[in-house]
């Protein structure tokens, strides 16, 4: 049988495996940071109306530049943005790939600070861009002086920052981003895929766009909007960046159906984002429960929690799966990541964690009572 390595594949792709999390049919799926709540019925009805309007015209190409959708997204972001400063594609991965196609490539480099989103180096590899992996602090934060020192050391063409960071959940102080902008000669891409889950007072890098034409802030509708199946990502930047990306985008890359469904979702953003606070309560419930039980857990401004395990994380991951709870092994030795789900899903996870990691403090039942009260003490203390 012919294998990939028998084909004339690029040398730098030999031995690589495709990116992807396990897709398993289990009772509790908390491994891919999907929004836990289904799309509300009124939003589905609005999507249906807009999709029905597009069906008779499917023999025609869609709006190539998706101006209507970009206008809607600019309105959602605010900050005085117009459509000319927003670009959209099939998920934020495609958005970032287009940025690497335009500003990276053979002979150019991209720098990131790990542990962080594992797709960034894969996207770089796919575009022939050399990836430089620097490290965050031991507490998963990133200091401005440390970031600037790495930029001066490597002089990259692109810098990737993740805020809130995946898989740690850590948000960046805008002062760190501002320092990076001052040190980098190339593009600075801030991945804000999880920004809607951030705690009150967390500031977006979008605030830094004025006067910084090489800053790009990427977002997605896959997370807080519950639109993962719709595949829609976007960025905000200087209009010149939008012009540059259009040089490499595929023609008609966003289907008419994708644009219609996404516009419906943006028009119903209040209904879709109404459950974000419920997710944040469950996220904080997980962190509080772990810490009161003596289990280290990282600060999180996302819809997931990174927590420490004493044993081999692969074996612990399997023990959760054996109990019908699917979480994520992100390849970080001694750590696992869990998505904050519904109250019922979170309870199932905490029950499993109590059995696997040992009940060294607060029980999951006590934690459920705290969740029902809707407390958010940790978030208040962190501000």
């Amino acid at each position: 049988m012919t294998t990939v390595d028998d084909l004339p594949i690029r040398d730098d792709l030999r031995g690589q495996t495709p990116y992807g999390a396990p897709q398993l049919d289990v009772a509790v799926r908390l491994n891919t940071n999907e929004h836990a709540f289904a799309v509300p019925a009124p939003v589905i009805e609005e999507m249906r109306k807009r999709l029905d309007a597009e069906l008779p015209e499917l023999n025609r190409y869609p709006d190539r530049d998706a101006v209507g959708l970009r206008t809607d997204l600019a309105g959602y972001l605010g900050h005085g943005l117009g459509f000319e400063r927003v670009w959209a594609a099939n998920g934020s991965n495609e958005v970032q790939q287009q940025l690497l196609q335009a500003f990276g490539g053979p002979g150019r480099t991209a720098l990131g600070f790990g542990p962080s989103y594992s797709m960034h180096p894969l996207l770089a590899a796919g575009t022939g861009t050399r990836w430089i992996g620097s490290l965050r602090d031991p507490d998963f934060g990133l200091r401005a002086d440390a970031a600037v020192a790495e930029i001066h050391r490597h002089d990259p063409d692109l810098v990737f920052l993740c805020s809130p960071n995946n898989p740690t959940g850590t948000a960046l102080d805008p002062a760190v981003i501002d320092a990076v902008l001052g040190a980098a000669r190339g593009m600075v891409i801030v991945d804000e895929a999880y920004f809607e889950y951030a705690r009150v007072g967390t500031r977006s890098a979008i605030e830094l766009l004025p006067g910084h034409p090489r800053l790009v802030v990427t977002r997605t509708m896959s997370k807080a909007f519950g639109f993962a199946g719709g595949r829609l990502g976007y960025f905000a930047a200087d209009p010149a960046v939008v012009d540059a990306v259009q040089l490499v985008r595929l023609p008609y890359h966003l289907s008419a159906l994708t644009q219609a469904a996404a516009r419906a979702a943006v028009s119903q953003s209040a209904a879709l984002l109404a459950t974000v606070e419920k997710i944040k309560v469950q996220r904080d419930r997980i962190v509080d429960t772990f810490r009161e039980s003596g289990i280290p857990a990282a600060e999180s401004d996302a819809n997931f929690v990174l927590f420490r395990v004493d044993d081999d994380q692969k074996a612990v991951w399997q023990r959760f799966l054996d109990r019908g709870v699917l979480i994520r092994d992100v390849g970080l030795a001694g750590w696992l990541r869990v998505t904050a789900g519904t109250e019922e899903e979170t309870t199932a996870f905490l029950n499993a964690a109590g059995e696997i990691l040992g009940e060294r403090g607060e029980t999951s039942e006590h934690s459920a009572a705290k969740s029902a009260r809707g407390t958010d003490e940790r978030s208040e203390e962190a501000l």
Side-chain angles (χ1 to χ4, degrees):
M1 177 181 291
T2 301
T3 68
V4 171
D5 287 336
D6 294 323
L7 301 175
I9 192 172
R10 284 167 31 192
D11 289 340
D12 60 323
L13 296 180
R14 291 188 183 278
Q16 300 297 316
T17 56
Y19 172 88
Q23 291 184 309
L24 304 176
D25 185 14
V26 297
V28 182
R29 292 185 295 176
L30 301 174
N31 68 323
T32 54
N33 301 338
E34 297 160 323
H35 194 68
F37 292 89
V39 178
V43 182
I44 293 175
E45 183 58 29
E46 180 64 22
M47 289 182 182
R48 184 175 290 115
K49 290 178 182 178
R50 300 207 185 199
L51 290 171
D52 284 345
E54 294 295 332
L55 294 178
E57 297 290 327
L58 285 185
N59 60 310
R60 302 295 184 185
Y61 285 115
D63 175 6
R64 182 182 56 226
D65 297 332
V67 172
L69 172 59
R70 290 160 58 199
T71 300
D72 294 347
L73 290 168
Y76 165 72
L77 290 175
H79 296 279
L81 297 174
F83 80 90
E84 71 282 353
R85 303 196 67 167
V86 174
W87 182 249
N90 294 285
S92 58
N93 287 334
E94 184 177 62
V95 163
Q96 292 165 4
Q97 181 185 60
Q98 291 172 339
L99 289 165
L100 281 160
Q101 288 174 312
F103 299 105
R108 295 194 172 193
T109 59
L111 169 70
F113 299 89
S116 194
Y117 185 34
S118 58
M119 270 303 297
H120 291 159
L122 295 178
L123 292 169
T127 59
T129 309
R130 184 169 67 87
W131 180 260
I132 301 169
S134 293
L135 295 176
R136 285 174 165 254
D137 299 332
D139 65 353
F140 303 128
L142 182 62
R143 302 188 324 275
D145 60 339
V148 168
E150 287 297 285
I151 291 169
H152 287 160
R153 177 185 175 193
H154 297 289
D155 189 29
D157 297 282
L158 300 96
V159 178
F160 279 83
L161 301 173
C162 211
S163 182
N165 186 48
N166 179 13
T168 67
T170 319
L172 288 177
D173 186 327
V176 175
I177 302 171
D178 197 41
V180 169
L181 286 167
R185 62 171 175 80
M187 304 299 294
V188 176
I189 300 169
V190 182
D191 186 336
E192 289 190 345
Y194 298 94
F195 183 78
E196 283 88 351
Y197 298 105
R199 288 171 288 185
V200 176
T202 304
R203 295 167 57 195
S204 169
I206 291 175
E207 297 178 16
L208 300 175
L209 283 174
H212 290 111
R214 297 186 179 184
L215 170 64
V216 185
V217 183
T218 67
R219 294 279 188 97
T220 183
M221 293 180 67
S222 294
K223 306 304 179 184
F225 274 84
F227 199 70
R231 309 305 301 130
L232 199 291
Y234 57 104
F235 72 63
D238 189 272
V241 178
V242 175
D243 292 342
V245 165
Q246 292 195 62
L247 297 175
V248 299
R249 61 101 175 97
L250 294 174
Y252 313 109
H253 68 293
L254 277 177
S255 77
L257 300 182
T258 297
Q259 293 185 46
R263 294 193 70 183
V266 176
S267 75
Q268 300 289 315
S269 59
L272 285 167
L273 298 178
T275 51
V276 166
E277 290 303 317
K278 294 181 179 180
I279 296 296
K280 291 164 70 173
V281 167
Q282 298 308 314
R283 171 199 67 198
D284 292 345
R285 172 190 173 196
I286 294 169
V287 173
D288 289 343
T289 301
F290 276 170
R291 289 183 174 178
E292 292 174 18
S293 300
I295 300 170
E299 292 286 346
S300 179
D301 278 284
N303 69 332
F304 55 81
V305 176
L306 187 74
F307 62 98
R308 182 83 186 179
V309 296
D310 293 332
D311 303 317
D312 170 41
Q313 85 276 1
K314 296 182 184 298
V316 177
W317 176 88
Q318 183 63 51
R319 293 172 70 186
F320 275 100
L321 183 60
D322 292 343
R323 290 163 174 78
V325 179
L326 179 60
I327 60 175
R328 188 71 178 270
D329 176 5
V330 297
L332 188 59
W335 295 83
L336 290 170
R337 191 192 71 193
V338 60
T339 306
T342 63
E343 183 174 350
E344 294 75 19
E345 290 171 332
T346 303
T347 296
F349 163 73
L350 289 172
N351 284 337
E355 297 174 3
I356 296 167
L357 304 178
E359 297 178 357
R360 290 172 285 178
E362 176 182 312
T363 65
S364 57
E365 289 79 8
H366 180 62
S367 144
K370 175 183 288 188
S371 173
R373 292 195 301 269
T375 59
D376 196 13
E377 298 168 358
R378 188 177 67 88
S379 296
E380 294 297 327
E381 293 169 356
L383 296 180

